[in-house]
Amino acid sequence: MPDTWEALEHDCKNCRECSLWETRTNVVFGVGNQNAEVLFIGEGPGANEDAQGEPFVGRAGHLLDDMLEIIGLKRDDVYIANIVKCRPPENRDPLGVEQEACIGYLRRQAALLRPKIIVCLGRIAAMRIIKPDFKITREHGQWFEKNGFQMMAVYHPAALLRDPRRRPESFEDFKGLQQKINERAHPCRFLMQIAYFSVLCPAKFLHKWCFLDKNAIDGHFCVCYITTILFERTWSLSDEDCCKQRCISLLLLLLLLL
Ligand code: URA
C-alpha cells in the first residue's frame, strides 16, 4: 500500500524505537506545505517544540521565520522537519543511535514531499544529510547535489542567536536559496513573458494600423496568461493531478500557437 501522511504521522507519534520517547511531551512530527519545493531540516526539538509539538517555535524559530520572510517565504510555503522527532534531554545533540532510529520517518517525509531543494539547519543535520565530514563554517551556503536533490546547509538559527556576527553570511546563504528557487521554478514564465512582450503586447497596440483583429489578439493574450498561470501552479506540485494540469496547459499552449 502506498504511504500516506496520515499513516506516517500515526507511526511517528506512536514511536518507541529509542529511549527519547520516555522523556518526551510531544512528538514533533513536522509542519508546512505538503507540496513544498523546499524542505528545511533541523536537528531535533528543544523545550518549546517539545511542549507545543511543532518545530522551530522558540526564539530560533522566530529568527528562522524572519530569514524566510527576507526572501519572500512564509512557513506555509516550505516544509520544516527534524532529524529526530523527540527532544534530546538538556538540548544535547541527538546520539547516533537516536538519529538512526528516527531517520526512517524523515525519509518517508521526503518521499511523500518530493522536494527539489533541501536546506539543512546547522551542522548536525548537514552531517547526517549531506556528508558525515561536513564543516559548517567552511561549507555553509555551498550547493551539493545528492540523490536528485539540491542541498545546502546554513548556520542553525540558534547559532546565529549566540553569535550575531554570523548573520550577514547567513543572509547571503538565504539569498542563494532564493536564487536557486527562482532558477528552478517556472522556467516557462520566461518564455511566456518573451511571447507576451515581443508579440502580443506590440500587436495589441499596433492593431489599428496593421488591420489586425483586436478580439483575436485579446483571445491569444488570455490563453497566454492562463497557460502561464497553469504552468506556474503545476510546476511545483508533485501529485498526480499535476500531470493532468500540465496536459491541459500544453493543450492550451498548442491552441495559442495555432
Ligand atoms: N532546533 C532544531 O534543530 N529543531 C527545532 O525544531 C527547534 C530547534
Side-chain angles (χ1 to χ4, degrees):
M1 238 194 5
D3 206 1
T4 62
W5 283 100
E6 292 73 28
L8 173 54
E9 190 161 355
H10 175 270
D11 292 351
C12 190
K13 290 199 164 162
N14 290 292
C15 179
R16 291 186 174 189
E17 291 288 323
C18 75
S19 60
L20 291 182
W21 77 270
E22 291 166 26
T23 47
R24 75 184 173 213
T25 313
N26 282 297
V27 172
V28 180
F29 176 69
V31 282
N33 186 333
Q34 294 176 350
N35 289 314
E37 285 190 341
V38 187
L39 168 61
F40 283 85
I41 304 176
E43 59 182 71
N48 293 304
E49 291 75 22
D50 178 57
Q52 297 182 41
E54 193 175 313
F56 287 96
V57 287
R59 277 180 69 219
H62 291 138
L63 182 56
L64 175 62
D65 290 342
D66 290 345
M67 301 295 267
L68 288 175
E69 202 182 319
I70 287 173
I71 58 163
L73 292 175
K74 295 185 300 300
R75 229 166 224 257
D76 291 348
D77 297 322
V78 301
Y79 197 87
I80 306 174
N82 279 308
I83 300 280
V84 297
K85 314 296 193 209
C86 299
R87 182 190 180 203
E90 319 297 332
N91 291 346
R92 62 161 168 75
D93 291 349
L95 304 175
V97 279
E98 293 159 353
Q99 295 186 30
E100 208 47 55
C102 213
I103 199 74
Y105 297 118
L106 185 62
R107 288 206 184 103
R108 285 171 67 188
Q109 284 174 311
L112 286 166
L113 191 66
R114 290 197 276 153
K116 297 196 171 67
I117 296 169
I118 294 180
V119 181
C120 299
L121 295 164
R123 175 183 63 92
I124 301 283
M127 287 169 70
R128 184 77 216 188
I129 304 293
I130 301 178
K131 52 179 185 158
D133 60 347
F134 194 91
K135 296 277 177 294
I136 192 79
T137 43
R138 267 212 320 264
E139 295 176 294
H140 67 90
Q142 287 179 25
W143 287 98
F144 296 80
E145 186 165 352
K146 200 175 155 191
N147 305 329
F149 300 113
Q150 289 291 325
M151 303 182 176
M152 78 146 169
V154 294
Y155 284 119
H156 194 286
L160 297 178
L161 288 174
R162 282 193 300 272
D163 185 359
R165 284 170 308 170
R166 289 180 171 167
R167 286 193 192 191
E169 287 172 77
S170 225
F171 178 69
E172 288 306 315
D173 296 346
F174 272 79
K175 284 281 177 205
L177 169 62
Q178 184 180 38
Q179 198 178 338
K180 189 63 117 191
I181 294 170
N182 288 342
E183 269 168 27
R184 297 189 59 83
H186 326 316
C188 52
R189 182 191 301 185
F190 227 48
L191 291 178
M192 290 298 168
Q193 280 174 351
I194 289 172
Y196 176 67
F197 285 112
S198 62
V199 183
L200 294 174
C201 201
K204 252 172 102 68
F205 287 103
L206 295 176
H207 76 278
K208 274 194 211 134
W209 296 285
C210 304
F211 307 105
L212 294 172
D213 178 355
K214 184 173 182 301
N215 290 338
I217 295 169
D218 282 343
H220 276 64
F221 171 71
C222 283
V223 176
C224 182
Y225 189 71
I226 294 168
T227 315
T228 310
I229 305 246
L230 277 177
F231 261 121
E232 287 197 12
R233 248 184 59 69
T234 60
W235 204 259
S236 58
L237 295 185
S238 47
D239 51 34
E240 277 168 18
D241 278 356
C242 156
C243 221
K244 281 186 227 142
Q245 292 190 33
R246 277 194 197 139
C247 289
I248 297 172
S249 315
L250 275 176
L251 270 173
L252 281 169
L253 190 60
L254 278 177
L255 267 176
L256 173 71
L257 295 175
L258 283 178

